[in-house]
């Protein structure tokens, strides 16, 4: 499991299922090194492998770590604003769309030094109204010259319309749904030049132990470590 995340990466699979066991054994390489996949309980009876097969993916990367640069927005993003601040940031690419929505609007950080505000946020992907969501806050640091911006994930993945087997697997192993809730983004913005130092953190020590135990994935991690 990821201990030092570089971003919050969400992958929306509009059409996916678990690989069937029929056919040749799959070959899996990570950085050119062979790896073994985890396995499902009663995998032989279920006739499926613990490998997702999907098409038409939409991959959303939220707040990749960007240390030392000034607060900015990418030119290809569409930003909807109100008098109070940013309401929605939307990016569309190759038939897909993702939006980061704020309630209330996210204010101009440069006007808030010494003040504290907070609100809610959510990510919409295509026709899914809230893939993950959480709370944001802006507060002065102890020194008073900088502000601390935090975005916590409080609500994980709540899928609908899953294939029956996938619904079963994601129910008995909650980490599939709840892992985003262990993430938070924390940034410090300097008052003078708006330089930002940001990082993603894991809020808990849990690294998906229930999944590792169920699937035997620890074996795969050990194999990769031995090959380094």
């Amino acid at each position: 499991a990821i201990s030092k995340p570089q971003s919050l990466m969400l992958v929306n699979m509009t059409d996916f299922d678990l690989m069937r066991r029929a056919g040749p054994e799959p070959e899996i390489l990570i950085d050119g090194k062979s790896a073994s996949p985890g396995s499902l309980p009663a995998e032989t009876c279920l006739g499926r492998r613990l490998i997702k097969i999907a098409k038409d993916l939409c991959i959303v990367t939220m707040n990749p770590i960007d240390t030392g640069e000034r607060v900015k927005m990418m030119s290809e993003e569409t930003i909807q604003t109100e008098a109070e601040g940013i309401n929605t940031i939307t990016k569309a690419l190759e038939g897909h769309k993702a939006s980061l929505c704020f309630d209330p609007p996210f204010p101009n950080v440069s006007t808030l030094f010494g003040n504290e505000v907070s609100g809610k946020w959510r990510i919409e992907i295509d026709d899914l109204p809230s893939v993950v969501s959480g709370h944001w806050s802006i507060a002065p640091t102890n020194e008073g010259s900088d502000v601390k911006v935090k975005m916590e994930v409080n609500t994980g993945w709540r899928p609908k319309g899953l294939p029956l087997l996938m619904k079963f697997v994601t129910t008995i192993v909650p980490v599939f749904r709840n892992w985003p809730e262990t993430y938070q983004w924390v940034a410090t913005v300097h008052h003078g030049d708006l330089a930002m130092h940001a990082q993603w953190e894991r809020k808990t020590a849990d690294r998906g132990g229930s999944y590792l135990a169920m699937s035997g994935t620890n074996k795969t991690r050990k194999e990769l470590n031995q090959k380094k």
Side-chain angles (χ1 to χ4, degrees):
I2 297 174
S3 298
K4 298 180 180 180
Q6 301 298 301
S7 68
L8 177 65
M9 188 177 74
L10 305 170
V11 182
N12 184 36
M13 304 177 185
T14 55
D15 187 8
F16 72 98
D17 206 342
L18 295 178
M19 177 184 286
R20 298 181 182 275
R21 285 184 58 84
E25 191 79 17
E27 182 182 9
I28 300 175
L29 300 176
I30 300 177
D31 287 339
K33 301 179 179 64
S34 179
S36 303
S39 59
L40 291 166
E43 183 173 282
T44 303
C45 296
L46 293 172
R48 301 297 178 103
R49 304 179 188 275
L50 190 54
I51 301 173
K52 290 180 182 177
I53 301 296
K55 63 179 181 180
D56 195 24
L57 303 180
C58 179
I59 302 175
V60 177
T61 303
M62 176 180 170
N63 285 3
I65 291 179
D66 189 10
T67 297
E69 296 196 16
R70 297 182 70 252
V71 177
K72 63 182 180 179
M73 293 294 177
M74 302 301 291
S75 59
E76 64 267 25
E77 294 167 344
T78 301
I79 304 173
Q80 297 179 2
T81 62
E82 299 181 8
E84 297 86 357
I86 297 174
N87 183 36
T88 307
I89 303 172
T90 300
K91 185 170 183 178
L93 182 67
E94 298 180 357
H96 293 284
K97 181 178 70 172
S99 298
L100 175 59
C101 309
F102 299 98
D103 181 25
F106 193 88
N108 185 338
V109 176
S110 65
T111 66
L112 291 176
F113 288 90
N115 298 317
E116 185 171 345
V117 293
S118 61
K120 298 179 180 179
W121 64 270
R122 70 181 187 276
I123 289 184
E124 302 176 351
I125 302 178
D126 294 335
D127 58 347
L128 302 177
S130 183
V131 177
V132 296
S133 60
H135 289 84
W136 60 265
S137 63
I138 302 175
T141 62
N142 294 333
E143 293 77 11
S145 60
D146 300 335
V147 296
K148 185 175 183 178
V149 184
K150 180 184 289 187
M151 295 183 69
E152 291 188 89
V153 186
N154 302 118
T155 304
W157 181 48
R158 300 293 181 265
K160 296 181 180 179
L162 292 178
L164 184 59
L165 181 57
M166 284 301 302
K167 183 177 182 180
F168 170 73
V169 171
T170 59
T171 298
I172 65 172
V173 187
V175 69
F176 280 115
R177 299 169 183 257
N178 300 337
W179 68 264
E181 298 174 26
T182 68
Y183 278 57
Q184 67 179 9
W185 181 80
V186 180
T188 300
V189 181
H190 182 60
H191 183 229
D193 55 6
L194 293 184
M196 179 176 66
H197 297 268
Q199 65 180 6
W200 281 96
E201 301 172 345
R202 299 296 294 271
K203 294 187 288 183
T204 70
D206 179 40
R207 297 295 181 266
S210 60
Y211 169 77
L212 297 175
M214 181 276 295
S215 65
T217 311
N218 267 326
K219 178 182 177 182
T220 298
R221 297 173 67 184
K222 291 177 182 178
E223 290 174 352
L224 291 173
N225 289 333
Q226 290 171 357
K227 294 175 182 178
K228 287 183 179 180

Coordinates of all heavy atoms in Angstrom, one line a residue, residues 74-162:
M74 N -4.3 25.4 -14.0 CA -3.8 25.1 -15.3 C -4.8 25.8 -16.4 O -6.0 25.9 -16.2 CB -3.9 23.6 -15.5 CG -3.0 22.8 -14.5 SD -1.3 23.3 -14.6 CE -0.8 22.6 -16.2
S75 N -4.2 26.2 -17.5 CA -4.9 27.0 -18.5 C -6.1 26.2 -19.1 O -7.0 26.7 -19.6 CB -4.0 27.5 -19.6 OG -3.3 26.4 -20.2
E76 N -5.9 24.8 -19.2 CA -6.9 24.0 -19.9 C -8.1 23.7 -19.0 O -9.1 23.1 -19.4 CB -6.3 22.7 -20.4 CG -5.8 21.8 -19.3 CD -4.3 22.0 -19.0 OE1 -3.9 23.1 -19.3 OE2 -3.7 21.0 -18.6
E77 N -8.1 24.2 -17.7 CA -9.2 23.9 -16.8 C -10.2 25.1 -16.9 O -9.9 26.2 -17.1 CB -8.7 23.8 -15.4 CG -7.9 22.5 -15.2 CD -7.1 22.6 -13.9 OE1 -7.1 23.6 -13.2 OE2 -6.6 21.5 -13.4
T78 N -11.5 24.7 -16.8 CA -12.6 25.7 -16.8 C -13.0 26.0 -15.3 O -13.3 25.1 -14.6 CB -13.8 25.2 -17.5 OG1 -13.5 24.9 -18.9 CG2 -14.9 26.2 -17.5
I79 N -12.9 27.2 -14.9 CA -13.2 27.6 -13.6 C -14.4 28.5 -13.5 O -14.6 29.5 -14.2 CB -12.0 28.4 -13.0 CG1 -10.7 27.6 -13.1 CG2 -12.2 28.8 -11.5 CD1 -9.4 28.4 -12.8
Q80 N -15.4 28.0 -12.7 CA -16.6 28.8 -12.4 C -16.5 29.5 -11.1 O -16.2 28.9 -10.1 CB -17.8 27.9 -12.4 CG -18.1 27.2 -13.8 CD -19.3 26.3 -13.7 OE1 -20.0 26.2 -12.7 NE2 -19.6 25.6 -14.8
T81 N -16.6 30.8 -11.1 CA -16.5 31.6 -9.9 C -17.7 32.3 -9.5 O -18.6 32.6 -10.3 CB -15.3 32.6 -10.0 OG1 -15.7 33.5 -11.1 CG2 -14.0 31.9 -10.3
E82 N -17.8 32.7 -8.2 CA -18.8 33.5 -7.7 C -18.1 34.7 -7.0 O -16.9 34.7 -6.9 CB -19.8 32.8 -6.7 CG -20.5 31.7 -7.4 CD -21.4 31.0 -6.4 OE1 -21.6 31.5 -5.3 OE2 -22.0 29.9 -6.8
A83 N -18.9 35.6 -6.4 CA -18.2 36.7 -5.7 C -17.3 36.3 -4.6 O -16.3 36.9 -4.3 CB -19.3 37.7 -5.2
E84 N -17.7 35.1 -3.9 CA -17.0 34.7 -2.8 C -15.8 33.9 -3.1 O -14.9 33.6 -2.3 CB -17.9 33.8 -1.9 CG -19.1 34.6 -1.3 CD -20.3 34.6 -2.3 OE1 -20.1 34.1 -3.4 OE2 -21.3 35.1 -1.9
G85 N -15.7 33.4 -4.4 CA -14.5 32.6 -4.7 C -14.8 31.5 -5.8 O -15.8 31.7 -6.6
I86 N -14.1 30.4 -5.8 CA -14.2 29.4 -6.9 C -15.3 28.4 -6.5 O -15.3 27.9 -5.4 CB -12.9 28.6 -7.0 CG1 -11.8 29.6 -7.5 CG2 -13.0 27.5 -8.0 CD1 -10.4 28.9 -7.6
N87 N -16.2 28.2 -7.4 CA -17.3 27.3 -7.2 C -17.0 25.9 -7.7 O -17.2 24.9 -7.0 CB -18.6 27.8 -7.8 CG -19.8 27.0 -7.6 OD1 -20.0 26.4 -6.5 ND2 -20.7 26.8 -8.6
T88 N -16.5 25.9 -8.9 CA -16.2 24.6 -9.6 C -15.0 24.7 -10.5 O -14.8 25.7 -11.2 CB -17.4 24.1 -10.4 OG1 -18.6 24.1 -9.7 CG2 -17.2 22.7 -11.0
I89 N -14.1 23.7 -10.5 CA -13.0 23.6 -11.4 C -13.3 22.3 -12.3 O -13.4 21.2 -11.7 CB -11.7 23.4 -10.7 CG1 -11.4 24.6 -9.8 CG2 -10.5 23.3 -11.7 CD1 -10.2 24.5 -8.9
T90 N -13.4 22.5 -13.6 CA -13.7 21.3 -14.4 C -12.7 21.2 -15.5 O -12.2 22.1 -16.1 CB -15.1 21.6 -15.1 OG1 -16.1 21.7 -14.1 CG2 -15.5 20.4 -16.0
K91 N -12.4 19.9 -15.8 CA -11.5 19.6 -16.9 C -12.2 18.5 -17.7 O -12.6 17.5 -17.2 CB -10.1 19.1 -16.4 CG -9.1 18.9 -17.6 CD -7.7 18.7 -17.1 CE -6.8 18.5 -18.2 NZ -5.4 18.4 -17.7
A92 N -12.2 18.7 -19.1 CA -12.8 17.7 -20.0 C -11.7 17.2 -21.0 O -10.9 18.0 -21.4 CB -14.0 18.3 -20.7
L93 N -11.7 15.9 -21.2 CA -10.7 15.3 -22.1 C -11.2 14.0 -22.7 O -11.7 13.1 -22.0 CB -9.4 15.1 -21.4 CG -8.2 14.5 -22.2 CD1 -7.8 15.6 -23.2 CD2 -7.1 14.2 -21.3
E94 N -11.2 13.9 -24.1 CA -11.5 12.7 -24.8 C -12.9 12.1 -24.3 O -13.0 10.9 -24.1 CB -10.4 11.7 -24.6 CG -9.1 12.1 -25.2 CD -8.0 11.1 -25.0 OE1 -8.3 10.0 -24.4 OE2 -6.9 11.3 -25.5
G95 N -13.9 13.0 -24.3 CA -15.2 12.5 -24.0 C -15.6 12.3 -22.5 O -16.7 11.9 -22.1
H96 N -14.6 12.6 -21.6 CA -14.8 12.5 -20.2 C -14.7 13.9 -19.5 O -14.1 14.8 -20.1 CB -13.8 11.5 -19.5 CG -14.0 10.1 -20.0 ND1 -15.0 9.3 -19.5 CD2 -13.2 9.4 -20.9 CE1 -14.9 8.1 -20.1 NE2 -13.8 8.1 -20.9
K97 N -15.3 14.0 -18.3 CA -15.3 15.2 -17.6 C -15.2 15.0 -16.1 O -15.8 14.1 -15.6 CB -16.5 16.1 -17.9 CG -16.6 17.4 -17.2 CD -17.8 18.2 -17.6 CE -19.1 17.6 -17.0 NZ -20.2 18.4 -17.2
A98 N -14.3 15.8 -15.5 CA -14.2 15.7 -14.0 C -14.3 17.1 -13.4 O -13.8 18.1 -14.0 CB -12.9 15.1 -13.6
S99 N -15.0 17.2 -12.3 CA -15.2 18.5 -11.7 C -14.9 18.4 -10.2 O -15.2 17.5 -9.5 CB -16.6 19.0 -11.8 OG -16.9 19.2 -13.2
L100 N -14.2 19.5 -9.7 CA -14.0 19.6 -8.3 C -14.9 20.8 -7.8 O -14.7 21.9 -8.3 CB -12.5 20.0 -8.0 CG -12.1 20.3 -6.5 CD1 -12.4 19.2 -5.6 CD2 -10.6 20.7 -6.5
C101 N -15.8 20.5 -6.9 CA -16.9 21.4 -6.5 C -16.7 21.8 -5.1 O -16.4 21.0 -4.2 CB -18.2 20.8 -6.7 SG -18.5 20.1 -8.4
F102 N -16.9 23.1 -4.8 CA -16.7 23.6 -3.4 C -18.1 24.2 -2.9 O -18.8 24.9 -3.7 CB -15.7 24.7 -3.4 CG -14.3 24.3 -3.8 CD1 -13.8 24.5 -5.1 CD2 -13.5 23.6 -2.9 CE1 -12.6 24.1 -5.5 CE2 -12.2 23.2 -3.3 CZ -11.7 23.4 -4.5
D103 N -18.3 24.0 -1.7 CA -19.5 24.6 -1.0 C -19.2 24.9 0.4 O -19.0 24.0 1.2 CB -20.7 23.6 -1.1 CG -22.0 24.1 -0.4 OD1 -22.1 25.4 -0.4 OD2 -22.8 23.3 0.0
P104 N -19.1 26.2 0.8 CA -19.3 27.4 -0.1 C -18.1 27.5 -1.0 O -17.1 26.8 -0.9 CB -19.3 28.5 0.9 CG -18.5 28.0 2.1 CD -18.8 26.6 2.2
P105 N -18.1 28.5 -1.9 CA -17.0 28.7 -2.9 C -15.7 28.8 -2.1 O -15.6 29.4 -1.0 CB -17.4 30.0 -3.6 CG -18.9 30.0 -3.6 CD -19.2 29.5 -2.2
F106 N -14.6 28.3 -2.8 CA -13.3 28.4 -2.2 C -12.7 29.8 -2.4 O -12.6 30.2 -3.5 CB -12.4 27.3 -2.8 CG -11.1 27.1 -2.1 CD1 -11.0 26.2 -1.1 CD2 -9.9 27.8 -2.5 CE1 -9.8 26.0 -0.4 CE2 -8.7 27.6 -1.8 CZ -8.6 26.7 -0.8
P107 N -12.3 30.5 -1.3 CA -12.0 31.9 -1.5 C -10.5 32.1 -2.0 O -9.7 31.2 -2.1 CB -12.1 32.4 0.0 CG -11.8 31.2 0.8 CD -12.4 30.0 0.1
N108 N -10.2 33.4 -2.3 CA -8.9 33.8 -2.7 C -8.0 33.7 -1.4 O -8.2 34.5 -0.5 CB -8.9 35.2 -3.3 CG -7.6 35.6 -3.8 OD1 -6.5 35.1 -3.4 ND2 -7.6 36.6 -4.7
V109 N -7.0 32.8 -1.4 CA -6.2 32.6 -0.2 C -5.4 33.9 0.1 O -5.2 34.2 1.3 CB -5.2 31.5 -0.5 CG1 -4.2 31.3 0.7 CG2 -5.9 30.1 -0.7
S110 N -5.0 34.7 -0.8 CA -4.2 35.9 -0.6 C -5.0 36.9 0.2 O -4.4 37.8 0.8 CB -3.7 36.5 -1.9 OG -4.8 37.0 -2.6
T111 N -6.3 36.8 0.3 CA -7.1 37.8 1.1 C -7.5 37.3 2.5 O -8.2 37.9 3.2 CB -8.4 38.1 0.3 OG1 -9.3 36.9 0.3 CG2 -8.1 38.6 -1.1
L112 N -7.0 36.1 2.9 CA -7.5 35.4 4.1 C -6.4 35.3 5.2 O -6.6 34.6 6.1 CB -8.0 34.0 3.8 CG -9.3 34.0 3.0 CD1 -9.7 32.6 2.6 CD2 -10.5 34.7 3.7
F113 N -5.3 35.9 5.0 CA -4.2 35.8 6.0 C -4.7 36.4 7.3 O -5.1 37.5 7.4 CB -2.9 36.5 5.6 CG -2.3 35.7 4.4 CD1 -2.6 36.0 3.1 CD2 -1.3 34.7 4.7 CE1 -2.0 35.3 2.1 CE2 -0.7 34.0 3.7 CZ -1.0 34.3 2.4
G114 N -4.8 35.5 8.4 CA -5.3 35.9 9.7 C -6.7 35.5 9.9 O -7.2 35.6 11.0
N115 N -7.4 35.0 8.9 CA -8.8 34.5 9.0 C -8.9 33.0 8.8 O -8.0 32.4 8.2 CB -9.7 35.2 8.0 CG -9.7 36.7 8.1 OD1 -9.8 37.2 9.3 ND2 -9.6 37.5 7.0
E116 N -10.0 32.4 9.3 CA -10.2 31.0 9.2 C -11.5 30.7 8.6 O -12.5 31.3 9.0 CB -10.1 30.3 10.6 CG -10.2 28.8 10.6 CD -9.9 28.2 11.9 OE1 -9.3 28.9 12.8 OE2 -10.2 27.0 12.1
V117 N -11.6 29.9 7.5 CA -12.8 29.5 6.9 C -12.8 28.1 6.6 O -11.7 27.4 6.5 CB -13.0 30.4 5.6 CG1 -13.2 31.8 5.9 CG2 -11.8 30.2 4.6
S118 N -13.9 27.5 6.3 CA -14.0 26.0 6.0 C -15.2 25.8 5.1 O -16.1 26.6 5.0 CB -14.0 25.2 7.3 OG -15.2 25.5 8.0
G119 N -15.3 24.6 4.6 CA -16.4 24.2 3.8 C -16.3 22.7 3.3 O -15.5 22.0 3.9
K120 N -17.1 22.4 2.3 CA -17.1 21.0 1.8 C -16.7 21.0 0.4 O -16.8 22.0 -0.3 CB -18.5 20.4 1.9 CG -19.1 20.3 3.3 CD -20.5 19.7 3.3 CE -21.0 19.6 4.7 NZ -22.4 19.0 4.8
W121 N -16.2 19.8 -0.1 CA -15.8 19.7 -1.5 C -16.2 18.3 -1.9 O -16.4 17.4 -1.1 CB -14.3 19.9 -1.7 CG -13.4 18.9 -1.0 CD1 -12.9 19.0 0.3 CD2 -13.0 17.6 -1.5 NE1 -12.2 17.9 0.6 CE2 -12.2 17.0 -0.5 CE3 -13.2 16.9 -2.7 CZ2 -11.6 15.8 -0.7 CZ3 -12.6 15.7 -2.9 CH2 -11.8 15.1 -1.9
R122 N -16.3 18.1 -3.2 CA -16.6 16.8 -3.8 C -16.0 16.7 -5.2 O -15.8 17.8 -5.9 CB -18.1 16.5 -3.8 CG -18.9 17.3 -4.9 CD -20.4 17.0 -4.8 NE -21.1 17.7 -5.9 CZ -21.5 19.0 -5.8 NH1 -21.3 19.7 -4.7 NH2 -22.1 19.5 -6.9
I123 N -15.8 15.5 -5.7 CA -15.3 15.3 -7.1 C -16.4 14.6 -7.8 O -16.9 13.5 -7.4 CB -14.0 14.5 -7.1 CG1 -12.9 15.3 -6.6 CG2 -13.7 14.0 -8.5 CD1 -11.5 14.6 -6.7
E124 N -16.8 15.1 -9.0 CA -17.7 14.5 -9.9 C -17.0 14.0 -11.1 O -16.1 14.7 -11.6 CB -18.8 15.5 -10.4 CG -19.6 16.2 -9.2 CD -20.5 17.2 -9.7 OE1 -20.4 17.6 -10.9 OE2 -21.4 17.7 -8.9
I125 N -17.3 12.8 -11.6 CA -16.6 12.2 -12.7 C -17.7 11.8 -13.7 O -18.6 10.9 -13.3 CB -15.7 11.1 -12.4 CG1 -14.6 11.5 -11.4 CG2 -15.1 10.5 -13.7 CD1 -13.7 10.4 -11.0
D126 N -17.8 12.3 -14.9 CA -18.8 12.0 -15.9 C -20.2 12.2 -15.2 O -20.5 13.3 -14.8 CB -18.6 10.6 -16.5 CG -17.3 10.5 -17.3 OD1 -16.9 11.6 -17.8 OD2 -16.7 9.5 -17.4
D127 N -21.0 11.1 -15.2 CA -22.3 11.3 -14.7 C -22.4 10.9 -13.2 O -23.5 10.7 -12.7 CB -23.3 10.4 -15.5 CG -23.0 8.9 -15.5 OD1 -21.8 8.6 -15.1 OD2 -23.8 8.1 -15.9
L128 N -21.3 10.7 -12.5 CA -21.3 10.3 -11.1 C -21.2 11.6 -10.3 O -20.2 12.3 -10.3 CB -20.1 9.4 -10.8 CG -20.1 8.1 -11.6 CD1 -18.8 7.3 -11.2 CD2 -21.3 7.2 -11.3
P129 N -22.2 11.9 -9.5 CA -22.3 13.2 -8.8 C -21.3 13.4 -7.7 O -21.0 14.5 -7.3 CB -23.8 13.3 -8.3 CG -24.2 11.8 -8.2 CD -23.4 11.1 -9.2
S130 N -20.9 12.3 -7.0 CA -20.0 12.5 -5.9 C -19.2 11.2 -5.7 O -19.6 10.3 -5.0 CB -20.7 12.8 -4.6 OG -19.9 13.0 -3.5
V131 N -18.0 11.1 -6.4 CA -17.2 9.9 -6.3 C -16.5 9.8 -5.0 O -16.6 8.8 -4.3 CB -16.1 9.9 -7.4 CG1 -15.2 8.7 -7.3 CG2 -16.8 9.9 -8.8
V132 N -15.9 10.9 -4.5 CA -15.4 11.1 -3.2 C -15.7 12.5 -2.8 O -15.9 13.4 -3.6 CB -13.9 10.8 -3.1 CG1 -13.6 9.4 -3.4 CG2 -13.1 11.7 -3.9
S133 N -15.7 12.7 -1.4 CA -16.0 14.1 -0.9 C -15.3 14.3 0.4 O -14.8 13.3 1.0 CB -17.5 14.3 -0.8 OG -18.1 13.4 0.1
G134 N -15.3 15.5 0.9 CA -14.7 15.8 2.2 C -14.9 17.2 2.6 O -15.8 17.9 2.1
H135 N -14.0 17.7 3.5 CA -14.0 19.0 4.0 C -12.7 19.7 3.7 O -11.6 19.1 3.6 CB -14.2 19.0 5.5 CG -15.6 18.6 5.9 ND1 -16.0 17.3 6.1 CD2 -16.7 19.4 6.2 CE1 -17.2 17.2 6.4 NE2 -17.7 18.5 6.6
W136 N -12.8 21.1 3.4 CA -11.6 21.9 3.3 C -11.6 23.0 4.3 O -12.6 23.3 4.9 CB -11.6 22.5 1.9 CG -12.7 23.4 1.5 CD1 -13.8 23.1 0.8 CD2 -12.8 24.8 1.9 NE1 -14.7 24.2 0.7 CE2 -14.1 25.3 1.3 CE3 -12.0 25.8 2.5 CZ2 -14.5 26.6 1.5 CZ3 -12.5 27.1 2.7 CH2 -13.7 27.5 2.2
S137 N -10.4 23.4 4.7 CA -10.3 24.5 5.7 C -9.0 25.3 5.3 O -8.1 24.9 4.8 CB -10.1 23.9 7.1 OG -9.0 23.1 7.2
I138 N -9.1 26.6 5.7 CA -8.0 27.5 5.6 C -7.9 28.2 6.9 O -8.8 28.8 7.5 CB -8.3 28.6 4.5 CG1 -8.5 27.9 3.1 CG2 -7.1 29.6 4.4 CD1 -8.9 28.9 2.0
A139 N -6.6 28.2 7.5 CA -6.4 28.8 8.8 C -5.0 29.3 8.9 O -4.1 28.8 8.2 CB -6.6 27.7 9.9
P140 N -4.8 30.4 9.6 CA -3.5 30.9 9.8 C -2.6 30.0 10.6 O -3.0 29.2 11.4 CB -3.7 32.2 10.6 CG -5.0 32.0 11.3 CD -5.8 31.1 10.4
T141 N -1.3 30.0 10.3 CA -0.3 29.2 11.0 C 0.0 29.9 12.3 O -0.4 31.1 12.5 CB 1.0 29.0 10.2 OG1 1.6 30.3 10.0 CG2 0.7 28.3 8.9
N142 N 0.7 29.2 13.2 CA 1.1 29.8 14.5 C 1.9 31.1 14.3 O 1.8 32.0 15.1 CB 1.9 28.8 15.3 CG 1.0 27.6 15.7 OD1 -0.2 27.8 15.8 ND2 1.6 26.5 16.0
E143 N 2.7 31.1 13.2 CA 3.6 32.3 13.0 C 2.8 33.5 12.5 O 3.2 34.6 12.6 CB 4.7 32.0 12.0 CG 5.7 30.9 12.4 CD 5.2 29.5 12.4 OE1 4.1 29.3 11.8 OE2 5.8 28.6 13.0
G144 N 1.6 33.2 11.9 CA 0.7 34.3 11.4 C 1.1 34.8 10.0 O 0.2 35.5 9.4
S145 N 2.3 34.5 9.5 CA 2.6 35.0 8.2 C 2.2 34.1 7.0 O 2.2 34.5 5.9 CB 4.1 35.2 8.1 OG 4.8 34.0 8.3
D146 N 1.8 32.9 7.3 CA 1.4 31.9 6.3 C 0.0 31.4 6.7 O -0.5 31.6 7.7 CB 2.4 30.7 6.3 CG 3.8 31.1 5.9 OD1 3.9 32.2 5.3 OD2 4.7 30.4 6.3
V147 N -0.6 30.7 5.7 CA -1.9 30.0 5.9 C -1.7 28.6 5.6 O -0.9 28.2 4.8 CB -3.0 30.6 5.1 CG1 -3.3 32.1 5.5 CG2 -2.8 30.5 3.6
K148 N -2.5 27.8 6.4 CA -2.5 26.3 6.1 C -3.8 25.9 5.5 O -4.9 26.3 6.0 CB -2.3 25.6 7.5 CG -2.2 24.1 7.3 CD -2.0 23.4 8.7 CE -1.7 21.9 8.5 NZ -1.4 21.3 9.9
V149 N -3.7 25.3 4.4 CA -4.9 24.8 3.6 C -4.9 23.3 3.7 O -3.9 22.6 3.5 CB -4.8 25.2 2.1 CG1 -6.1 24.8 1.4 CG2 -4.6 26.7 2.0
K150 N -6.1 22.8 4.1 CA -6.2 21.3 4.3 C -7.5 20.8 3.5 O -8.5 21.5 3.6 CB -6.4 20.9 5.8 CG -6.5 19.4 6.0 CD -6.7 19.1 7.5 CE -5.5 19.3 8.3 NZ -5.7 18.8 9.7
M151 N -7.3 19.7 2.8 CA -8.5 19.1 2.2 C -8.5 17.6 2.6 O -7.6 16.8 2.2 CB -8.4 19.2 0.7 CG -8.5 20.6 0.1 SD -8.5 20.7 -1.7 CE -10.0 20.0 -2.1
E152 N -9.5 17.3 3.4 CA -9.6 15.9 3.9 C -10.6 15.2 3.1 O -11.7 15.7 2.7 CB -10.0 15.9 5.4 CG -9.0 16.4 6.4 CD -9.4 16.2 7.8 OE1 -9.2 15.2 8.4 OE2 -10.1 17.1 8.4
V153 N -10.4 13.9 2.9 CA -11.4 13.0 2.3 C -12.2 12.3 3.4 O -11.6 11.6 4.3 CB -10.8 11.9 1.4 CG1 -11.8 11.1 0.7 CG2 -9.8 12.5 0.4
N154 N -13.5 12.6 3.5 CA -14.3 12.0 4.5 C -15.3 10.9 4.1 O -15.8 10.2 4.9 CB -15.1 13.1 5.2 CG -14.2 14.2 5.8 OD1 -14.3 15.4 5.4 ND2 -13.3 13.8 6.7
T155 N -15.6 10.9 2.8 CA -16.5 9.9 2.2 C -15.8 9.2 1.1 O -15.4 9.8 0.1 CB -17.8 10.6 1.7 OG1 -18.4 11.3 2.8 CG2 -18.8 9.5 1.3
G156 N -15.7 7.9 1.2 CA -15.1 7.1 0.1 C -16.0 6.8 -1.0 O -17.1 7.3 -1.2
W157 N -15.6 5.8 -1.8 CA -16.3 5.3 -3.0 C -17.6 4.6 -2.6 O -17.6 3.7 -1.8 CB -15.3 4.4 -3.7 CG -15.8 3.8 -5.0 CD1 -16.4 4.5 -6.0 CD2 -15.7 2.4 -5.4 NE1 -16.7 3.6 -7.1 CE2 -16.3 2.4 -6.7 CE3 -15.3 1.3 -4.8 CZ2 -16.4 1.2 -7.4 CZ3 -15.3 0.1 -5.5 CH2 -15.9 0.0 -6.8
R158 N -18.7 5.1 -3.3 CA -20.0 4.4 -3.0 C -20.5 4.0 -4.4 O -21.4 4.7 -5.0 CB -20.9 5.4 -2.4 CG -20.5 5.9 -1.0 CD -20.5 4.8 0.0 NE -20.1 5.3 1.4 CZ -18.8 5.2 1.8 NH1 -17.9 4.7 1.1 NH2 -18.6 5.6 3.0
P159 N -20.1 2.8 -4.9 CA -20.4 2.4 -6.3 C -21.8 2.0 -6.4 O -22.5 1.5 -5.4 CB -19.4 1.3 -6.5 CG -19.2 0.7 -5.2 CD -19.2 1.9 -4.2
K160 N -22.4 2.1 -7.6 CA -23.7 1.6 -7.9 C -23.6 0.8 -9.2 O -22.8 1.1 -10.1 CB -24.7 2.8 -8.0 CG -24.9 3.5 -6.8 CD -26.0 4.6 -7.0 CE -26.2 5.4 -5.7 NZ -27.2 6.5 -5.8
G161 N -24.5 -0.2 -9.4 CA -24.6 -0.9 -10.6 C -23.4 -1.9 -10.9 O -23.1 -2.2 -12.0
L162 N -22.7 -2.3 -9.8 CA -21.6 -3.2 -10.0 C -22.1 -4.6 -10.4 O -23.2 -5.0 -10.0 CB -20.8 -3.3 -8.7 CG -20.0 -2.1 -8.2 CD1 -19.3 -2.5 -6.9 CD2 -19.0 -1.7 -9.2

